[in-house]
Amino acid sequence: MEAVASLRVPTGQGARQSLGGPSSSRPRSGWGPVFVKTASVRPPRSSLNIASTDSSPLEVKKNNVGNLTDWDLSASTMSLSPLDGRYMQKVKDLRPFFSEYGLIRHRVLVEVKWLLKLSEVPEITEVPQFSLDAQSFLEKIIHDFDINDALEVKKIEKITNHDVKAVEYYLKQRCKSHPEIEKVLEFFHFACTSEDINNLAHALSLKEAMNKVIFPVMVDLCEAIRVMAKENAHIPMLSRTHGQPASPTTLGKEMANFAVRLSERGKAFSKIHVLGKFAGAVGNYNAHKVAYPDINWKSITAEFVQSLGVDFNAYVTQIEPHDYIAELFNNVTQFNNILIDFDRDIWSYISLGYFKQITKAGEIGSSTMPHKVNPIDFENSEGNLCLGNAVLSALSMKLPISRMQRDLTDSTVLRNLGVGLGYSLLAYKSALLGIKKLQVNESCLNEDLEQTWEVLAEPIQTVMRRYAVPEAYEKLKELTRGRAVSKKSIREFTESLDLPQEAKTILLNLTPHTYTGEAERLANSVDDAMDLVNGFNLP
């Protein structure tokens, strides 16, 4: 018998009967249940590896990745989270790391690597050094792990009701067929608490996802804004402080500000060390020392953790305290805050007409106003950055706090590592898409400057101060504040000043378009202030 799901749909005289059901002459009000066969909603195809130019055909086939062009529309439409529904295509590269599959895959890796490490410790005579064949067998479990293996683990978990124990039992089942490994099956998960496995699985997921997925897109963003800075270094633009006309700048200089700010976050990332623990139930190697009193377990576990590419944390409880995750996410949040600032400024410049947006055939800006081309990419970016920051901030505040030697609140929270990063990745891609559509409207920029000759009040009164003309500020205030200022009135005022002719000539040749100071030079020098090579990396 097929399962059914109950959906509540509006009913009444103005409501259409759903799914071809019989109509009724009797009007109904409120909400009524409609039952649909869940079998008609097919499960989504899995996307558990990164579909990149580096992926081998075997890897793509193994995890049914492809380009997800055959993603089932009904499955994505029924997703609870937009990250797995509407926006799935844009964030799918995070799935190998933060999906349930990704977590299980990394748990398997840690468990297998620990058994291999134990076989290298001479004092543990019960686990002799593995032959090349046995080593290859174990490494193949890691290398060939796919969605079907993960589902096998999930089946075992239904019985154990314990996710990490299910991984241990899965590995024991897999290795029974190998006569050499079959003798040491009980050394899977030896002296481990679940958190020994989990903290390293999360650490590996985070490090790989940041280095392989998140950071490259961050760098692309910095690069795109850097290019905007250099290409528009010479284009004068009216500044606006407090929303009011202010001393002119150049469009490129304003973009350079953002490029440098964002790249500075990259330097901070490279100073963060991903940490791992492997010290047993409360961080003291209690069980280890009872089983093998003469082994230097701190040294052995430090070597093991570092062999995975994770730095070792010796001072822990049952859990690694997650301080590095808080530091990492705080830095991502700051990067996101800078990008929100960029999104809002670009939105404002588009509103002022400084940018036009390149349109795409078939796209619609407004459902009722045909003329509109909305800055949707920057709005989408800003909105998703807000969501990303909300999740990342919650994680960074919660994760370092755990009652005494451990409570379980971090366990469910850690399953959301990919959520905050997913919304952030979505935002980065939206901003990049928006940047590609921008087209500078120089005529609008020039017109704005031509209408604001009052901005020259600043240089005039500053030169007057140099030559000790009394009440320089007050005289310019009287000329400009609350009054219409034109090229003519500014020039007449300048001509009347008691200044050396050289200084007066400089002021008379000045226009709002040329009064940009060092802006062009700063924009053209943006490369010297950025480092996109040594940053954006978790060592």
Side-chain angles (χ1 to χ4, degrees), residues 481-501:
R481 186 174 294 190
R483 298 185 180 186
V485 179
S486 64
K487 176 180 178 180
K488 179 181 178 183
S489 63
I490 283 287
R491 285 179 176 272
E492 288 176 350
F493 179 84
T494 305
E495 288 281 11
S496 69
L497 295 174
D498 183 17
L499 292 172
Q501 189 56 47

Side-chain angles (χ1 to χ4, degrees), residues 375-421:
I376 56 174
D377 297 306
F378 299 103
E379 292 171 338
N380 182 284
S381 177
E382 180 183 341
N384 283 297
L385 288 168
C386 289
L387 284 170
N389 279 0
V391 177
L392 294 172
S393 296
L395 290 170
S396 67
M397 288 188 292
K398 187 274 157 293
L399 286 175
I401 301 170
S402 183
R403 295 174 183 87
M404 291 181 277
Q405 282 66 54
R406 195 271 157 92
D407 65 48
L408 203 62
T409 54
D410 68 323
S411 180
T412 188
V413 171
L414 283 164
R415 291 181 179 274
N416 293 276
L417 294 178
V419 177
L421 293 175

Side-chain angles (χ1 to χ4, degrees), residues 236 248-249 449 453 456 506-507 509-518:
T249 180
L449 289 164
W453 279 79
L456 297 186
I506 291 174
L507 290 175
N509 288 332
L510 201 59
T511 73
H513 302 76
T514 59
Y515 179 50
T516 57
E518 292 287 315

Side-chain angles (χ1 to χ4, degrees), residues 49 73 86 93 104 135 151 174-175 189 191 216 244 255 325 334 339 347 353 365 437 454 466 498 505 518:
N49 234 349
L73 183 59
R86 182 179 184 86
D93 287 353
I104 296 171
Q135 292 178 41
L151 292 175
R174 280 291 307 271
C175 295
H189 203 69
Q244 307 301 309
M255 298 302 102
I325 299 180
Q334 184 57 23
L339 189 58
W347 188 97
K437 295 179 182 178
E454 62 267 25
R466 174 185 174 183
D498 183 17
T505 299
E518 292 287 315

Side-chain angles (χ1 to χ4, degrees), residues 206-207 209-221 265-266 269-270 272 328 331-332 335 425 428 535-539:
L206 263 178
K207 186 172 182 178
M210 295 301 297
N211 286 337
K212 294 181 180 180
V213 181
I214 300 293
F215 287 152
V217 183
M218 283 182 167
V219 170
D220 286 346
L221 255 177
R265 292 299 91 212
F269 284 121
S270 63
I272 298 171
L328 171 63
N331 206 47
V332 175
F335 182 95
L425 178 62
Y428 305 156
F536 295 104
N537 176 64
L538 290 178

Side-chain angles (χ1 to χ4, degrees), residues 113-134:
K113 292 288 187 180
W114 178 233
L115 182 63
L116 286 166
K117 178 63 178 178
L118 292 174
S119 75
E120 298 171 358
V121 181
E123 295 88 343
I124 305 179
T125 56
E126 292 81 1
V127 187
Q129 179 75 41
F130 285 129
S131 66
L132 292 178
D133 180 71

